[in-house]
Amino acid sequence: MTEANQAAEASAPKPMHLVLMVSTVIALCILGDSLMYSILPLEAAHLGISLPLVGILLSANRLVRLLSNAWASATFERWGARRPFIAAALLGLFSTLLYGAGWGFAVFLGARMLWGIAWSALRQGGYEAVWYGGGAIKGRLTGMLWGIVRLGSALSVLGGGFLYDRFGYTTTIFCVVGLTALAL
């Protein structure tokens, strides 16, 4: 092995470390989305959103993902993993910030659609990190990835509910925005 190859191999991230970093970023980015499932129905009237529209808002990201999943894969294939993943984290942060704007249904719908696009790319980035690892540990890497991501969801719902009860909607959203910004 040449010196250049040895240096490149030594500086390359280890698969477990890479998946740990990527899953932590995704867990921080999913905080806002998860929070919406627990507190949007409680706050809808104050945000000028009728309760029946809450269901539409909470499912809008899934409808967008029907198209954005393929787009995310093509984007990663064309530009590599780093730039699209960072862009997705920024998009996730921006969508969470829009949840706090309180500008009604149309802005929330746009934010949920942006989150759907971000989620497609974040999920693709997670799989890219797992595929980087060797075949013998892909199951463990996948388990670690989704375990950490879902831990972020659970902490958002639990902690967000506590913050909502203590400090209200706006403060809760901006706390989550601050935590999501750590992903960058």
Side-chain angles (χ1 to χ4, degrees), residues 3 5 16 20 26 46 52 59 79 88-89 91 101 139 147 159 163-164 169 172:
E3 263 184 58
N5 287 345
M16 292 286 258
L20 177 63
I26 298 170
H46 295 105
S59 61
W79 286 310
L91 197 57
L163 289 172
Y164 177 78
Y169 179 81
T172 302

Side-chain angles (χ1 to χ4, degrees), residues 105-124:
F105 178 78
V107 172
F108 253 87
L109 182 61
R112 295 297 294 158
M113 293 169 75
L114 288 175
W115 169 251
I117 295 167
W119 178 246
S120 291
L122 289 166
R123 197 185 63 185
Q124 180 68 31

Side-chain angles (χ1 to χ4, degrees), residues 77-139:
E77 188 174 320
R78 180 174 179 161
W79 286 310
R82 184 182 169 98
R83 284 185 279 170
F85 189 72
I86 292 169
L90 283 167
L91 197 57
L93 175 64
F94 183 64
S95 70
T96 303
L97 188 60
L98 285 175
Y99 298 151
W103 292 329
F105 178 78
V107 172
F108 253 87
L109 182 61
R112 295 297 294 158
M113 293 169 75
L114 288 175
W115 169 251
I117 295 167
W119 178 246
S120 291
L122 289 166
R123 197 185 63 185
Q124 180 68 31
Y127 285 125
E128 294 281 336
V130 167
W131 292 327
Y132 178 80
I137 62 168
K138 284 184 181 174

